[in-house]
């Protein structure tokens, strides 16, 4: 017999907030209670276990305050059903509400109705997933500010559909919804530079993946949540999320390529936190997985990773470690290996090569690569790529009176570029 899933909404919100055990959440709640005026509240791991069961009891008022304070969601979004029901008289029938119903209200869209309407046919899962797949493909060419609203509306539709599906169709819609939330979170973090919004969106993605019972998709979402503290230099928090991602990957029987990507994510977080030696070791392990492990397919939604993109991670880490000749060689090889549609990654590589030449005291070559990055950004905007160009400009400060640097400034601070950057 299959093991009951329990209150997956609370479990996933706990993990996404960085509490990797029930005891960790219990300790955090007891500490937070004193800070928000609920000093008499004492929470033990047994209570957390009850809340994460199949039939979680309705928390008392002080416990609700602390839970919502720590996890950033309403008590209903955390999987609790009020004993008096939504109509103030009787509790809603079991199974009539999706575990993620209502989550879109947290991201500024209309609240999803809690009552079921007409049951959906089995084909709705295939149709809904087809749109998710189309969005996945469009990400590589459509401007993120234009694509993001469409994805958000599609996720809202998924929240409406999910309560009215069952069986395999239910799992298909939930998995597609999780992927849509993941894509929205990726755009918010990498393209629009909205880490707080991305963090909230990725929690919803994890809840949907739990509804689909898809541990591999859950692992991918958790790994993306690690980028947020990792890029901010909060190494311990990023490391905890990577541990959670690896745990889910193990449950999902991840392929060597998927595990190599997890190494790459951890390596980038370590690099951002200044631990380049650790990062290079992780990248070496990822390279071994790709070259010696069995060549098994990755999930179709994992279209953001390849040996060339791993090499791009490596080149950036070599640059930050001060291994300038090695970084130049690696990044030039990446440019040759990237597919034609890898416009966003190409922008980042041009920016890193510009930094390599600035570090080598070759300002003209640095400006030339920065100019190529700007050419690509004019075609496909990518905030992470523009960050690389701005980093290079700061590195070129010793040569700011040179003609090549002034010409770069003319492009970097032209009317169109400046207005566009401010709008984004």
């Amino acid at each position: 017999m299959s093991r009951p899933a329990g209150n997956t909404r609370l479990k996933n919100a706990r993990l996404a907030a960085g509490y990797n055990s029930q005891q960790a959440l219990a300790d955090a709640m007891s500490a937070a209670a004193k800070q928000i005026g609920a000093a008499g509240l004492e929470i033990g791991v047994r209570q957390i276990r009850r809340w994460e069961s199949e039939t979680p009891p309705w928390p008392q008022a002080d416990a609700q305050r602390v839970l919502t304070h720590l996890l950033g969601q309403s008590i209903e979004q955390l999987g609790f059903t009020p004993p008096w029901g939504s109509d103030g008289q009787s509790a809603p029938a079991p199974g009539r509400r999706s575990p993620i119903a209502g989550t879109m209200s947290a991201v500024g869209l209309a609240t999803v109705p809690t009552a079921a309407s007409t049951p959906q046919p089995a084909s709705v899962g295939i149709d809904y997933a087809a749109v998710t797949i189309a969005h996945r493909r469009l990400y590589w060419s459509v401007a993120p500010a234009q694509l993001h609203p469409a994805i958000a509306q599609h996720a809202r539709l998924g929240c409406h559909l999910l309560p009215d599906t069952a069986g395999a169709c239910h799992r298909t819609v939930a998995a597609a919804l999780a992927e849509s939330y993941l894509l929205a979170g990726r755009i918010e973090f990498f393209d629009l530079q909205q880490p707080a919004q991305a963090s909230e969106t990725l929690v919803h993605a994890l809840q949907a993946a739990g509804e689909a019972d898809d541990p591999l998709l859950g692992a991918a979402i958790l790994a993306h949540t690690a980028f947020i503290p990792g890029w901010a230099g909060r190494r311990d928090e990023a490391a905890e999320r990577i541990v959670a991602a690896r745990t889910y990957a193990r449950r999902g029987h991840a392929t060597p390529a998927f595990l190599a990507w997890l190494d790459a994510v951890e390596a980038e977080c370590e690099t951002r936190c200044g631990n380049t030696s650790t990062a290079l070791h992780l990248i070496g392990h990822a390279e071994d997985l790709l070259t010696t492990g069995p060549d098994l397919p990755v999930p179709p939604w994992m279209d953001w990773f390849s040996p060339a993109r791993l090499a791009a991670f490596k080149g950036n880490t070599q640059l930050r470690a001060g291994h300038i000749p090695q970084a130049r060689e690696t990044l030039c090889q990446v440019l040759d290996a990237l597919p034609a549609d890898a416009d966003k990654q190409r922008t980042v590589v041009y920016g890193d090569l510009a930094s390599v030449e600035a570090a080598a005291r070759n300002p003209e070559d640095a400006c030339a690569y920065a100019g190529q990055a700007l050419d690509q950004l004019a075609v496909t905007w990518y905030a992470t790529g523009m960050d690389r160009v701005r980093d290079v400009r700061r590195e070129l400060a010793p040569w700011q009176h040179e003609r090549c640097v002034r010409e770069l400034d003319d492009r970097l601070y032209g009317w169109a570029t400046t207005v566009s950057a401010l709008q984004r």
Side-chain angles (χ1 to χ4, degrees):
M1 296 179 63
S2 61
R3 184 178 178 180
N7 184 358
T8 57
R9 280 179 284 174
L10 179 59
K11 291 179 184 178
N12 291 333
R14 167 171 63 80
L15 289 170
Y19 304 112
N20 291 334
S21 67
Q22 294 175 336
Q23 184 65 60
L25 178 58
D27 293 342
M29 289 189 66
S30 297
K34 302 173 184 177
Q35 301 172 3
I36 65 172
L41 181 68
E42 291 291 337
I43 298 294
V45 70
R46 183 178 178 182
Q47 182 62 65
I48 305 297
R49 191 178 302 119
R50 292 178 66 209
W51 286 339
E52 293 190 357
S53 70
E54 281 283 293
T55 56
W58 184 249
Q60 60 164 291
D62 283 344
Q64 291 183 39
R65 289 172 56 203
V66 178
L67 275 171
T68 56
H69 170 74
L70 289 176
L71 303 182
Q73 298 185 56
S74 72
I75 201 68
E76 289 84 2
Q77 288 174 313
L78 293 173
F80 297 97
T81 300
W84 52 85
S86 59
D87 58 0
Q89 297 178 0
S90 59
R96 298 290 283 176
R97 187 182 182 197
S98 161
I100 58 164
T103 57
M104 290 307 293
S105 62
V107 291
L109 296 177
T111 302
V112 177
T114 59
S117 54
T118 305
Q120 294 293 336
S123 61
V124 77
I126 297 173
D127 295 337
Y128 183 79
V131 179
T132 299
I133 293 169
H135 286 159
R136 180 204 309 160
R137 295 170 178 166
L138 289 170
Y139 171 73
W140 299 107
S141 58
V142 175
Q146 296 173 356
L147 183 60
H148 184 271
I151 297 171
Q153 289 294 336
H154 184 59
R156 181 173 181 266
L157 173 62
C159 290
H160 279 284
L161 293 175
L162 197 58
D164 303 330
T165 59
C169 179
H170 185 85
R171 291 190 296 274
T172 298
V173 172
L177 178 58
E179 184 185 337
S180 290
Y181 273 131
L182 174 57
L183 182 55
R186 284 169 53 81
I187 291 175
E188 288 158 2
F189 183 72
F190 293 110
D191 298 88
L192 304 180
Q193 295 183 318
Q194 298 171 350
Q197 182 65 69
S199 180
E200 184 177 328
T201 300
L202 291 171
V203 170
H204 301 327
L206 190 62
Q207 290 173 318
E211 185 75 2
D213 194 20
D214 189 333
L216 209 56
L217 187 52
I221 294 163
L222 282 164
H224 276 86
T225 70
F227 281 124
I228 298 172
W231 283 34
R234 304 195 302 271
R235 180 181 181 274
D236 290 346
E237 187 178 346
E240 287 180 358
R241 296 183 181 193
I242 288 292
V243 169
R246 292 190 186 280
T247 301
Y248 275 65
R250 185 171 62 250
R251 294 173 187 163
H253 307 291
T255 64
F258 191 95
L259 296 175
W261 173 68
L262 290 181
D263 283 339
V265 173
E266 187 172 2
E268 178 152 359
C269 292
E270 292 287 355
T271 298
R272 294 272 178 167
C273 295
N275 303 313
T276 53
S277 295
T278 301
L280 288 171
H281 175 76
L282 285 162
I283 291 171
H285 183 257
E287 290 174 330
D288 290 342
L289 285 172
L290 291 179
T291 56
T292 63
D295 187 18
L296 300 175
V298 297
W301 41 257
M302 189 180 156
D303 59 352
W304 57 72
F305 185 67
S306 66
R309 287 183 168 86
L310 176 61
F313 275 115
K314 181 178 182 178
N316 178 259
T317 302
Q318 289 172 327
L319 167 63
R320 291 175 180 256
H323 304 165
I324 303 306
Q326 296 92 327
R328 181 188 289 114
E329 180 181 2
T330 299
L331 292 167
C332 285
Q333 291 174 351
V334 171
L335 277 183
D336 294 335
L338 283 176
D341 62 351
D343 294 341
K344 294 182 178 182
Q345 186 67 53
R346 190 171 290 105
T347 299
V348 171
V349 175
Y350 281 139
D352 282 346
L353 277 168
S355 287
V356 165
E357 298 306 334
R361 305 187 66 80
N362 299 322
E364 290 190 2
D365 290 342
C367 289
Y369 278 123
Q372 288 178 282
L374 290 175
D375 289 340
Q376 191 64 67
L377 286 167
V379 177
T380 305
W381 174 257
Y382 192 38
T384 303
M386 179 56 82
D387 283 346
R388 294 290 212 271
V389 176
R390 293 193 179 110
D391 288 344
V392 171
R393 179 57 186 88
R394 286 188 285 270
E395 294 158 6
L396 288 170
W399 301 280
Q400 62 185 8
H401 299 299
E402 297 288 334
R403 179 178 177 179
C404 60
V405 179
R406 291 200 305 269
E407 290 175 348
L408 177 63
D409 286 345
D410 286 338
R411 294 197 60 190
L412 190 56
Y413 302 111
W415 285 109
T417 307
T418 304
V419 171
S420 181
L422 289 174
Q423 287 176 332
R424 294 185 176 96

